[in-house]
Amino acid sequence: MRDASAAGVSIMLKAIRFDSVGGPEVLRFGMIDERRPGSGEVSLKVEAVGLNRAESMYYHGAYMEQPTLPSGIGYEAVSFVTAVGPGGDASLVGLVFPL
């Protein structure tokens, strides 16, 4: 985790969100709270996000699953592990994903 988070300082993260289906005009940058990973989870620092056809279909409402609104996109990303949850393998910290 970042030093500020470990010190109890709240950190807000950027996310691409949407509140209704439609074209790219429905996409907005939103802020979400950072949280510590739970059991079986890791925290990732995302370096780059791709927007693929499936995600475009998702926010247009044309994917096989309908989004539960509000929703977000960002399934395809390059990131590295910054923290592991309780009982997790600490050797994962620093690994880059996808491998």
Side-chain angles (χ1 to χ4, degrees):
M1 293 301 252
R2 296 181 198 125
D3 292 339
S5 180
V9 175
S10 179
I11 297 175
M12 299 295 290
L13 307 172
K14 291 181 185 175
I16 300 174
R17 311 285 296 162
F18 59 100
D19 296 319
S20 62
V21 295
E25 70 280 355
V26 302
L27 301 177
R28 303 277 185 265
F29 276 108
M31 303 303 281
I32 57 174
D33 289 323
E34 180 178 42
R35 66 177 186 81
R36 295 189 183 278
S39 179
E41 297 179 330
V42 298
S43 286
L44 300 173
K45 181 174 188 308
V46 176
E47 295 293 321
V49 176
L51 178 59
N52 60 39
R53 180 178 175 177
E55 289 176 308
S56 176
M57 291 173 65
Y58 186 64
Y59 70 78
H60 277 90
Y63 195 64
M64 66 181 112
E65 293 178 24
Q66 290 299 302
T68 301
L69 301 172
S71 193
I73 59 173
Y75 299 110
E76 190 174 280
V78 175
S79 57
F80 63 91
V81 177
T82 59
V84 296
D89 183 352
S91 70
L92 294 174
V93 174
L95 286 181
V96 175
F97 286 93
L99 295 173

